[in-house]
Amino acid sequence: MMMTATEYEASLRKLSLKVYMFGKRVKNVVDDPIIRPSMNAVAKTYEMAQLPEYEDIMTATSHISGKKINRFTHIHQSTEDLIKKAKMGRLLGSLTGCCFQRCVGVDSLNALSIVTWNIDQKYGTEYYKRFIKYLEYVQENDLTCDGAMTDPKGDRSLPPHKQADPDMFMRVKEVKDDGIIVCGAKAHQTGAVNSHEIIIMPTIAMQEADKDYAISFALPSDAEGITYIMGRQSCDTRKLEASELDRGNLFYGGHEALCVFDNVFVPWERVFMFREYDFAGQLVEKFASYHRQSYACKSGVGDVLIGAAQTAAEYNGAHKASHIKDKIIEMNHLNETLFCGAIACGCEGKKEASGTFCVDTLLANISKQNVTRLPYEIARLAQDIAGGLIVTLPSAEDFKSEETGKWIEKYFKGRSDVSIEDRFRILRLIENITLGTAAVGYLTESMHGAGSPQAQRVMIARLVDMAAKQKLAKGLCGIEKA
Ligand code: SF4
Ligand code: FE
């Protein structure tokens, strides 16, 4: 059954998550003013799936139950599914202006649908069957899953088993008849406290000596022993202010958290990889490829930023200047380039042995490499167009004050037919996306999410057929016979 946004919110209220922020336990996670905008963003994935006009993009037919499901729980059955996932990401990015968090879940489900099958083929295990049972549960209940990959990693020059602290990578601490006890943490967890489930995957390829770290499993997000520590974001406490004017994005936001697993029990039916170290790298690669495509979301946020930059220019009368027009064209060019990559790696996707369709790995890496750069250039141009006021604008309180309001009104007026309040709002939105809470998602997450830039460069170096390229060159200039 697909949940409505209201049902989703109600379902979160039933969880008893252990969340900390600003040194205190957050008792009511759903209504916390700092966290709530991020919940609203995930709720959008439920809301949009209910609308008939978005049915094709937002929903799919389950290949196991044949029922209509939210696309965020779907296992891709065609390249068309992959393309629709990218379009869905752009749509939601444009409607929320931030990270809506739910993609990590669908990307980990798809990666596991491939790798559990492959492990079974080699070792005669039954992970795929377990996984499908879990998937049925996720689809049937329309759950949001946090796909958790990034370990803290400690000393980067050392493999997991050589770390001074053995918990720097998630590990099996004890094996029991009915399951395993795990210890470790996952960092930068997007949407963690808005999730019903957390799906753990290894973060790097591993050798035999690291086999206790080669694990994958899923747990309810409020399982005993899991603690969430919320990450800070620039301007986060503006959400606590009485006036909405300084918030920029009034409705939505993202969040990231550190998830600590302190001796957590995982029953066997929730374990999808157990010491098959030779498949850790494959799981990382599949998840990363899927998630690198998901960064189509940033072209949606880019749509908002471009719209904001154009509006800011119109509000101060600069929009007709040729250099402003050209900057807007450049922003659009860069933004659509991001989208092209996400669509292309879906078009070039292939069917894996399990039947799941996966994106083209090289193109997904190229696409994400662009995402590590182009939003910064788009943001730079938006700041160029917006002018210095995005960082020197006084607060909403000064604007409302009898003493100072009149001066702000007088001197920060742009075009006389545009209200100062509208100018305030649009500049704050640009600030929010390029410097404030949404900059986490639009900029730094673009840089590091789904792997930092170097991770993609390693993949690009590995995946391009250099010998074929050299053969072409040598053939054409006569070094070798063509
Ligand atoms: Fe989804 Fe984009 Fe957020 Fe990643 S950064 S979870 S792809 S919205
Ligand atoms: Fe991300």
Side-chain angles (χ1 to χ4, degrees):
M1 267 291 290
M2 290 204 305
M3 276 198 276
T4 63
T6 316
E7 286 164 346
Y8 164 65
E9 183 180 331
S11 71
L12 290 182
R13 289 186 194 282
K14 290 188 195 134
L15 299 174
S16 49
L17 301 172
K18 204 170 162 198
V19 181
Y20 287 86
M21 188 167 60
F22 295 114
K24 290 195 197 85
R25 174 112 186 236
V26 182
K27 298 224 174 69
N28 181 346
V29 179
V30 176
D31 295 313
D32 183 274
I34 290 186
I35 299 172
R36 191 166 175 91
S38 71
M39 192 281 292
N40 290 339
V42 183
K44 203 78 184 164
T45 70
Y46 290 91
E47 183 193 322
M48 296 303 289
Q50 300 284 331
L51 304 177
E53 60 270 42
Y54 293 103
E55 187 184 16
D56 188 46
I57 286 189
M58 292 299 307
T59 70
T61 304
S62 166
H63 73 298
I64 35 179
S65 69
K67 290 184 196 159
K68 185 161 114 177
I69 52 171
N70 190 300
R71 189 171 292 284
F72 280 104
T73 65
H74 183 52
I75 298 300
H76 313 298
Q77 299 300 304
S78 61
T79 53
E80 209 187 315
D81 273 344
L82 293 166
I83 294 163
K84 283 180 186 168
K85 186 190 77 162
K87 291 185 176 175
M88 174 172 75
R90 182 170 190 170
L91 172 71
L92 287 160
S94 72
L95 294 175
T96 59
C98 68
C99 164
F100 44 86
Q101 310 143 57
R102 206 174 168 188
C103 335
V104 278
V106 68
D107 293 337
S108 43
L109 291 171
N110 275 273
L112 278 169
S113 79
I114 295 170
V115 179
T116 51
W117 174 279
N118 291 346
I119 301 175
D120 288 354
Q121 302 314 302
K122 182 164 177 190
Y123 291 110
T125 41
E126 296 208 321
Y127 292 122
Y128 185 72
K129 216 164 88 188
R130 270 186 205 170
F131 168 74
I132 290 294
K133 211 168 153 228
Y134 176 68
L135 177 69
E136 271 175 337
Y137 167 71
V138 169
Q139 290 186 343
E140 189 56 35
N141 295 287
D142 199 4
L143 301 178
T144 288
C145 304
D146 169 15
M149 179 160 276
T150 310
D151 290 295
K153 299 196 285 283
D155 182 341
R156 271 58 171 175
S157 69
L158 300 172
H161 73 280
K162 289 230 172 94
Q163 295 286 333
D165 182 334
D167 297 334
M168 284 302 109
F169 290 77
M170 186 76 72
R171 68 182 174 119
V172 183
K173 199 175 163 196
E174 210 184 313
V175 183
K176 299 186 140 193
D177 289 346
D178 50 353
I180 53 176
I181 306 279
V182 298
C183 261
K186 291 288 177 181
H188 329 303
Q189 287 311 297
T190 300
V193 310
N194 293 328
S195 302
H196 307 99
E197 290 278 319
I198 180 162
I199 301 173
I200 302 294
M201 297 162 285
T203 202
I204 48 167
M206 287 175 191
Q207 303 298 319
E208 190 173 0
D210 292 322
K211 66 178 189 308
D212 281 346
Y213 296 87
I215 47 171
S216 176
F217 55 87
L219 281 174
S221 52
D222 60 353
E224 183 70 34
I226 306 180
T227 302
Y228 301 88
I229 308 167
M230 300 297 291
R232 270 217 89 160
Q233 300 183 336
S234 295
C235 311
D236 48 9
T237 49
R238 285 198 197 176
K239 292 173 187 150
L240 305 174
E241 292 173 8
S243 169
E244 65 178 32
L245 263 195
D246 283 337
R247 253 180 263 168
N249 187 332
L250 307 191
F251 311 104
Y252 306 105
H255 79 240
E256 315 285 331
L258 171 68
C259 309
V260 178
F261 284 64
D262 183 20
N263 291 292
V264 179
F265 173 72
V266 191
W268 284 121
E269 65 266 23
R270 291 293 199 102
V271 177
F272 307 127
M273 175 188 285
F274 179 67
R275 291 176 170 159
E276 290 86 3
Y277 63 90
D278 45 339
F279 284 90
Q282 190 182 103
L283 187 50
V284 174
E285 194 180 304
K286 292 295 176 209
F287 172 75
S289 298
Y290 279 125
H291 202 47
R292 284 167 194 175
Q293 183 202 28
S294 289
Y295 272 72
C297 66
K298 301 306 177 213
S299 51
V301 182
D303 289 331
V304 177
L305 187 56
I306 294 167
Q310 173 70 25
T311 306
E314 288 176 8
Y315 282 4
N316 68 11
H319 60 295
K320 290 196 183 125
S322 64
H323 75 100
I324 298 287
K325 285 188 192 159
D326 194 55
K327 280 164 190 160
I328 295 283
I329 292 169
E330 179 66 6
M331 291 169 85
N332 277 306
H333 161 68
L334 297 172
N335 199 47
E336 298 303 333
T337 302
L338 294 179
F339 190 54
C340 289
I343 294 293
C345 66
C347 290
E348 290 287 297
K350 298 266 169 337
K351 193 178 187 170
E352 297 280 332
S354 68
T356 304
F357 271 72
C358 189
V359 292
D360 181 88
T361 311
L362 175 59
L363 294 188
N365 278 277
I366 299 289
S367 182
K368 174 67 209 327
Q369 180 80 181
N370 279 338
V371 176
T372 66
R373 300 176 188 177
L374 307 194
Y376 285 85
E377 181 62 8
I378 298 170
R380 188 184 72 78
L381 290 163
Q383 292 188 351
D384 180 344
I385 293 170
L389 206 50
I390 62 160
V391 290
T392 63
L393 198 60
S395 75
E397 294 306 320
D398 293 308
F399 176 50
K400 287 188 176 149
S401 143
E402 253 179 57
E403 299 289 317
T404 51
K406 57 180 189 274
W407 301 123
I408 293 172
E409 178 101 38
K410 178 176 163 78
Y411 290 112
F412 287 151
K413 188 98 182 154
R415 255 171 43 197
S416 60
D417 59 336
V418 175
S419 81
I420 176 76
E421 189 177 312
D422 286 353
R423 197 159 179 233
F424 227 97
R425 287 178 188 272
I426 206 71
L427 291 173
R428 284 293 184 224
L429 181 61
I430 297 173
E431 182 197 26
N432 175 261
I433 297 174
T434 65
L435 293 164
T437 51
V440 178
Y442 189 58
L443 297 179
T444 317
E445 193 178 41
S446 289
M447 173 79 83
H448 294 294
S452 305
Q454 186 58 18
Q456 291 116 52
R457 299 184 82 77
V458 169
M459 289 301 288
I460 293 166
R462 201 199 304 162
L463 291 167
V464 293
D465 188 348
M466 190 49 69
K469 291 180 200 298
Q470 286 186 286
K471 193 162 179 261
L472 292 170
K474 288 178 179 172
L476 283 176
C477 68
I479 296 173
E480 277 174 13
K481 281 223 174 73

